[in-house]
Amino acid sequence: MHQSALLGMLALAAVTTALPSSPFSPSPRPGSEASITNLKQKIKNVVLLCMENRSVDNLLGGQTHKGIENSINNGPFCNPYNVSDPSQGFHCSQAKDYDSVTNDPSHAVTGNTMEFYSQWTPDNTAIAEGRLRPNNNGFITEQIHNYGANTNTTELALQVMNYYTEQQVPVMTSFVQNFLTFNHWHSDVAGPTDPNRFALVSGTTHGHGTNLGTDYTFLLPQMSIFQALGEKNISWLNYWDTAGGTGPDSKAFTWTLESGNENKTVPVTQFYTDALSGNLPTFSYLNPSCCGVGTTSMHDSGLVSDGEAFLKKVYESLRAGPQWENTLFILTFDETGGFHDHVPPPLAPRPDNLTYTEKAANGLEYTYEFNRLGGRIPTFLISPWINEGEVEQFGLNSFGETVSYCASSVLRTLGYLWDFEPFNPRVEWAPSFDHLIQHTARKNVISTLPTPVTFTDY
Ligand SMILES: *[C@@H]1O[C@H](CO)[C@@H](O)[C@H](O)[C@H]1NC(C)=O
Ligand SMILES: *[C@@H]1O[C@H](CO)[C@@H](O)[C@H](O)[C@H]1NC(C)=O
Ligand SMILES: *[C@@H]1O[C@H](CO)[C@@H](O)[C@H](O)[C@H]1NC(C)=O
Ligand SMILES: *[C@@H]1O[C@H](CO)[C@@H](O)[C@H](O)[C@H]1NC(C)=O
Ligand SMILES: *[C@@H]1O[C@H](CO)[C@@H](O)[C@H](O)[C@H]1NC(C)=O
Ligand SMILES: *[C@@H]1O[C@H](CO)[C@@H](O)[C@H](O)[C@H]1NC(C)=O
């Protein structure tokens, strides 16, 4: 059994571990003039797609590619059935997981806190001072707390601990083998979907920590990527799946209404035709549909295979279109969705002075200060300018610190590409990835991805 606690050593923001040597030629320093110049020369269009609720150890847990720390390469990883009573036994990660996981694991702020800290209301001072570190031991406990009464607990344990094999997710496997995968990329917020989506496009949730109970339409006052580009007359569109369920994220911001940019939300079907006809804007932001069978986001209640079919269509449209040669496709997820991951999330600077408070399952109030990241999420860079099969480990931020990547790394990098300043201290801290764009384009990049497979049971 791997004791996750040992990995707590990695929990501090600055990481001193020796990095695995890379077979690829050395890159320029991220954020350097040479690197930014190269980025601007090669990349004219960015496509950003944020899927739903999956951790690295869950979705990419069965990828045997070297450099990805996951269940099959480094596991199995084990969690107790009850963090307060180890005599109830353990479940260790194994292949395989369900195409659709019917008991949606908790990803509320305090559910997430149980999953990573084995308690719902940990001591925030101890966390901030580095004395209390996540042990990633509470995933099964939280799942049983939410569903245990009427459910087979073995099944609950394997829902959150098990992983997908390379054969179950052939489209993902193809991305891993053909493009770049981040090994240490975390969600910005240790909480649910909406806050993480806001953080991805604006660097902060503006103090929000929940999906439910709030209508976010045009509510958020902070600067977003949509406003930053709008003010520079850089074209953007928010393509969304009209079946709904996520976003459209551009419509969460007050600016979008006040500046008359509501009509930049268009159906995702238009994305395929725009890509094929060379009419994509400079920045394309895609919202998949959620949640349940037939939706495309890979949310656990939907089918992973439906998500794969969507990714295949997005990729193949880009690849066949005339803008492919200068496109960077960033594929990421919003948060871990309550699925186990063994890497403790690091601390990170607060984006602003806002906090979020909710009542935890133990009846106590817990205040999240937005000073630590969520779990690892799968993130890929896809472009002819990206090395084949590269795995990126830690980033180097503009303060010279070697740290984990996070959702705000997207805004940090796009700021270099399109000349906007970091929106807040979190974005300023986040390591950029401009240096991963190469100087020569690859020829013969794969044009057709494998056909997704459905699997009713395992
Ligand atoms: C977990 O163990 C504690 C301590 O023995 C016990 O009080 C609690 O009821 C257990 N929880 C479950 C869900 O079994
Ligand atoms: C996953 O995303 C859906 C849709 O936004 C949300 O309802 C659900 O609560 C999320 N799951 C977790 C664990 O946050
Ligand atoms: C609980 O689920 C496991 C895994 O699917 C299965 O092997 C076991 O038979 C189930 N137990 C009961 C009592 O249904
Ligand atoms: C953007 O376009 C508008 C309308 O054409 C113009 O008034 C404004 O100066 C432009 N802004 C920038 C930053 O180019
Ligand atoms: C939005 O409306 C403006 C003003 O009518 C128009 O110029 C623009 O083309 C529209 N954009 C889209 C994406 O429909
Ligand atoms: C937080 O509040 C302090 C004290 O008012 C202020 O100095 C600081 O600039 C604020 N930080 C941010 C990120 O707004």
Side-chain angles (χ1 to χ4, degrees):
M1 181 202 311
H2 284 241
Q3 273 304 339
S4 306
L6 290 178
L7 291 159
M9 303 295 287
L10 289 175
L12 290 178
V15 173
T16 50
T17 327
L19 305 182
S21 62
S22 164
F24 300 103
S25 55
S27 310
R29 191 182 168 91
S32 64
E33 203 181 315
S35 176
I36 295 171
T37 301
N38 184 55
L39 174 73
K40 289 183 175 189
Q41 277 173 1
K42 308 298 169 13
I43 302 304
K44 306 296 179 195
N45 305 281
V46 173
V47 177
L48 177 57
L49 168 54
C50 181
M51 303 284 279
E52 281 291 306
N53 304 26
R54 295 284 174 176
S55 68
V56 169
D57 278 339
N58 176 246
L59 194 61
L60 302 183
Q63 299 293 325
T64 56
H65 203 72
K66 204 160 161 267
I68 301 180
E69 286 172 66
N70 62 9
S71 313
I72 202 162
N73 288 335
N74 310 81
F77 305 114
C78 308
N79 261 198
Y81 275 87
N82 182 341
V83 287
S84 309
D85 181 9
S87 74
Q88 290 187 23
F90 290 78
H91 180 85
C92 298
S93 59
Q94 59 190 31
K96 305 162 184 176
D97 209 336
Y98 300 97
D99 202 355
S100 171
V101 174
T102 47
N103 300 304
D104 183 14
S106 171
H107 29 173
V109 164
T110 47
N112 202 285
T113 304
M114 168 56 84
E115 287 156 6
F116 286 102
Y117 287 89
S118 301
Q119 48 183 312
W120 285 298
T121 50
D123 176 347
N124 278 340
T125 306
I127 290 176
E129 291 174 355
R131 287 182 285 115
L132 179 59
R133 292 173 178 169
N135 59 16
N136 300 27
N137 262 341
F139 287 84
I140 300 176
T141 302
E142 180 65 16
Q143 185 74 338
I144 290 176
H145 172 76
N146 285 307
Y147 298 103
N150 305 308
T151 316
N152 176 331
T153 52
T154 309
E155 235 158 68
L156 291 174
L158 61 84
Q159 283 174 347
V160 294
M161 295 300 294
N162 279 17
Y163 58 83
Y164 296 91
T165 63
E166 290 178 336
Q167 293 71 30
Q168 283 182 311
V169 288
V171 172
M172 285 285 158
T173 303
S174 191
F175 287 148
V176 167
Q177 291 172 355
N178 286 281
F179 297 103
L180 182 145
T181 311
F182 287 93
N183 186 38
H184 286 275
W185 183 292
H186 292 256
S187 71
D188 255 26
V189 182
T193 293
D194 289 343
N196 274 294
R197 288 183 165 275
F198 305 151
L200 174 65
V201 293
S202 73
T204 177
T205 76
H206 197 70
H208 294 283
T210 183
N211 288 345
L212 306 172
T214 310
D215 177 2
Y216 288 112
T217 312
F218 304 129
L219 183 75
L220 304 179
Q222 72 265 29
M223 171 67 80
S224 69
I225 180 72
F226 309 107
Q227 177 176 356
L229 299 189
E231 288 175 352
K232 288 180 175 290
N233 291 340
I234 295 174
S235 61
W236 63 271
L237 284 176
N238 183 177
Y239 298 95
W240 77 303
D241 189 322
T242 52
T246 79
D249 295 329
S250 65
K251 285 197 169 177
F253 298 91
T254 313
W255 173 85
T256 307
L257 176 66
E258 291 182 347
S259 61
N261 279 292
E262 285 177 74
N263 69 349
K264 289 211 169 79
T265 298
V266 297
V268 75
T269 46
Q270 188 185 324
F271 175 80
Y272 309 123
T273 52
D274 284 354
L276 289 169
S277 62
N279 284 310
L280 290 176
T282 306
F283 179 61
S284 302
Y285 184 80
L286 273 65
N287 274 105
S289 59
C290 191
C291 310
V293 174
T295 59
T296 57
S297 65
M298 290 197 179
H299 184 268
D300 25 305
S301 56
L303 298 174
V304 167
S305 53
D306 281 341
E308 288 233 313
F310 172 58
L311 294 177
K312 176 177 163 71
K313 200 166 171 187
V314 167
Y315 174 81
E316 290 176 1
S317 305
L318 283 172
R319 178 68 185 86
Q323 288 163 293
W324 166 254
E325 297 301 335
N326 296 102
T327 293
L328 174 62
F329 173 24
I330 306 166
L331 171 59
T332 188
F333 283 71
D334 62 335
E335 42 112 350
T336 57
F339 290 102
H340 177 263
D341 191 85
H342 76 282
V343 176
L347 300 176
R350 298 174 63 183
D352 45 39
N353 283 330
L354 300 168
T355 60
Y356 164 76
T357 300
E358 73 180 20
K359 193 174 219 180
N362 59 6
L364 301 176
E365 303 243 294
Y366 178 70
T367 296
Y368 178 56
E369 295 172 344
F370 299 97
N371 62 350
R372 51 187 172 85
L373 303 178
R376 283 191 313 167
I377 45 181
T379 299
F380 306 89
L381 298 182
I382 296 167
S383 169
W385 302 99
I386 289 296
N387 282 324
E388 181 177 354
E390 184 166 8
V391 178
E392 169 73 350
Q393 299 295 327
F394 294 95
L396 181 65
N397 71 13
S398 58
F399 303 111
E401 300 165 327
T402 299
V403 296
S404 298
Y405 288 93
C406 63
S408 282
S409 294
V410 173
L411 289 176
R412 194 67 172 109
T413 307
L414 297 186
Y416 287 136
L417 177 59
W418 293 320
D419 300 306
F420 59 82
E421 293 299 312
F423 299 163
N424 61 45
R426 170 68 67 81
V427 178
E428 186 179 17
W429 170 87
S432 65
F433 49 81
D434 42 283
H435 62 297
L436 299 174
I437 300 296
Q438 301 302 305
H439 286 258
T440 47
R442 280 162 55 200
K443 305 285 175 219
N444 308 319
V445 174
I446 187 170
S447 53
T448 309
L449 297 177
T451 303
V453 295
T454 55
F455 40 97
T456 45
D457 209 8
Y458 292 125

